Amino acid sequence: RAALEEQYRDVSGQSLAAVIAERTGAYIEDKAHALGAEVTAEVTVREEDGAFIPDRAVLFGEENAELSALLTQELGIAPEKQEWRAER
Protein backbone atom coordinates (compact mmCIF):
# COMPACT_ATOMS: atom_id res chain seq x y z
CA ARG A 1 0.00 0.00 0.00
CA ALA A 2 2.78 2.45 0.83
CA ALA A 3 4.36 1.72 -2.55
CA LEU A 4 1.04 2.48 -4.30
CA GLU A 5 0.67 5.74 -2.40
CA GLU A 6 4.21 6.73 -3.34
CA GLN A 7 3.51 5.86 -6.97
CA TYR A 8 0.33 7.95 -6.91
CA ARG A 9 2.16 10.95 -5.42
CA ASP A 10 4.79 10.60 -8.13
CA VAL A 11 2.22 10.53 -10.95
CA SER A 12 0.23 13.33 -9.34
CA GLY A 13 3.39 15.44 -9.06
CA GLN A 14 4.31 14.77 -12.69
CA SER A 15 0.81 15.82 -13.79
CA LEU A 16 0.96 19.00 -11.74
CA ALA A 17 4.41 19.81 -13.12
CA ALA A 18 3.10 19.35 -16.68
CA VAL A 19 0.12 21.64 -16.05
CA ILE A 20 2.32 24.34 -14.52
CA ALA A 21 4.79 24.10 -17.42
CA GLU A 22 1.96 24.32 -19.97
CA ARG A 23 0.25 27.28 -18.29
CA THR A 24 3.54 29.13 -17.87
CA GLY A 25 4.25 28.62 -21.57
CA ALA A 26 0.81 30.02 -22.46
CA TYR A 27 1.43 32.99 -20.14
CA ILE A 28 4.75 33.72 -21.88
CA GLU A 29 3.10 33.48 -25.30
CA ASP A 30 0.36 35.91 -24.20
CA LYS A 31 2.95 38.37 -22.88
CA ALA A 32 4.93 38.08 -26.13
CA HIS A 33 1.78 38.75 -28.15
CA ALA A 34 1.04 41.84 -26.02
CA LEU A 35 4.54 43.07 -26.91
CA GLY A 36 3.86 42.50 -30.60
CA ALA A 37 6.08 39.41 -30.82
CA GLU A 38 5.25 35.96 -32.13
CA VAL A 39 6.87 33.51 -29.72
CA THR A 40 6.14 29.91 -28.83
CA ALA A 41 7.42 28.80 -25.43
CA GLU A 42 8.33 25.44 -23.94
CA VAL A 43 8.86 25.63 -20.19
CA THR A 44 10.59 23.21 -17.85
CA VAL A 45 9.81 23.33 -14.12
CA ARG A 46 11.74 22.20 -11.08
CA GLU A 47 10.53 21.18 -7.66
CA GLU A 48 11.55 23.43 -4.82
CA ASP A 49 10.27 22.93 -1.28
CA GLY A 50 7.34 20.86 -2.57
CA ALA A 51 6.27 23.41 -5.20
CA PHE A 52 6.89 23.38 -8.94
CA ILE A 53 8.40 26.58 -10.29
CA PRO A 54 9.47 27.59 -13.81
CA ASP A 55 13.15 26.81 -14.34
CA ARG A 56 14.00 27.02 -18.07
CA ALA A 57 12.35 28.27 -21.22
CA VAL A 58 13.00 27.44 -24.85
CA LEU A 59 11.57 30.29 -26.91
CA PHE A 60 10.85 29.93 -30.61
CA GLY A 61 10.82 33.27 -32.39
CA GLU A 62 12.88 36.39 -32.73
CA GLU A 63 14.75 37.23 -29.53
CA ASN A 64 13.02 40.01 -27.61
CA ALA A 65 14.91 41.83 -24.83
CA GLU A 66 11.71 43.17 -23.24
CA LEU A 67 10.18 39.70 -23.04
CA SER A 68 13.45 38.27 -21.74
CA ALA A 69 13.51 40.84 -18.93
CA LEU A 70 9.88 40.07 -18.12
CA LEU A 71 10.65 36.34 -17.81
CA THR A 72 13.39 37.14 -15.33
CA GLN A 73 11.38 39.65 -13.29
CA GLU A 74 7.98 37.93 -13.22
CA LEU A 75 8.86 34.24 -13.47
CA GLY A 76 12.40 34.09 -12.11
CA ILE A 77 13.78 32.48 -15.29
CA ALA A 78 17.32 33.85 -15.52
CA PRO A 79 18.63 34.98 -18.93
CA GLU A 80 21.09 32.08 -19.01
CA LYS A 81 18.13 29.68 -18.68
CA GLN A 82 16.32 31.24 -21.65
CA GLU A 83 17.16 29.61 -24.95
CA TRP A 84 16.06 31.48 -28.06
CA ARG A 85 15.64 29.58 -31.32
CA ALA A 86 14.74 31.02 -34.69
CA GLU A 87 12.37 28.19 -35.56
CA ARG A 88 10.90 25.02 -34.20
Side-chain angles (χ1 to χ4, degrees):
R1 178 177 168 123
L4 278 175
E5 289 174 357
E6 179 65 31
Q7 199 173 24
Y8 173 74
R9 273 194 299 276
D10 208 37
V11 168
S12 176
Q14 289 171 4
S15 298
L16 181 58
V19 168
I20 291 171
E22 185 178 315
R23 289 190 180 164
T24 303
Y27 174 82
I28 292 169
E29 291 168 10
D30 285 347
K31 288 292 187 178
H33 187 71
L35 294 171
E38 287 299 318
V39 172
T40 304
E42 290 180 0
V43 177
T44 305
V45 297
R46 73 175 187 276
E47 190 173 354
E48 190 173 291
D49 298 326
F52 294 101
I53 58 171
D55 184 48
R56 306 181 80 73
V58 178
L59 305 146
F60 299 93
E62 190 174 324
E63 191 164 347
N64 182 301
E66 195 173 355
L67 181 61
S68 181
L70 189 134
L71 297 184
T72 302
Q73 293 166 357
E74 292 190 13
L75 301 175
I77 301 174
E80 60 272 12
K81 291 191 170 191
Q82 299 173 25
E83 181 182 335
W84 290 86
R85 296 184 186 169
E87 53 189 67
R88 196 160 231 187

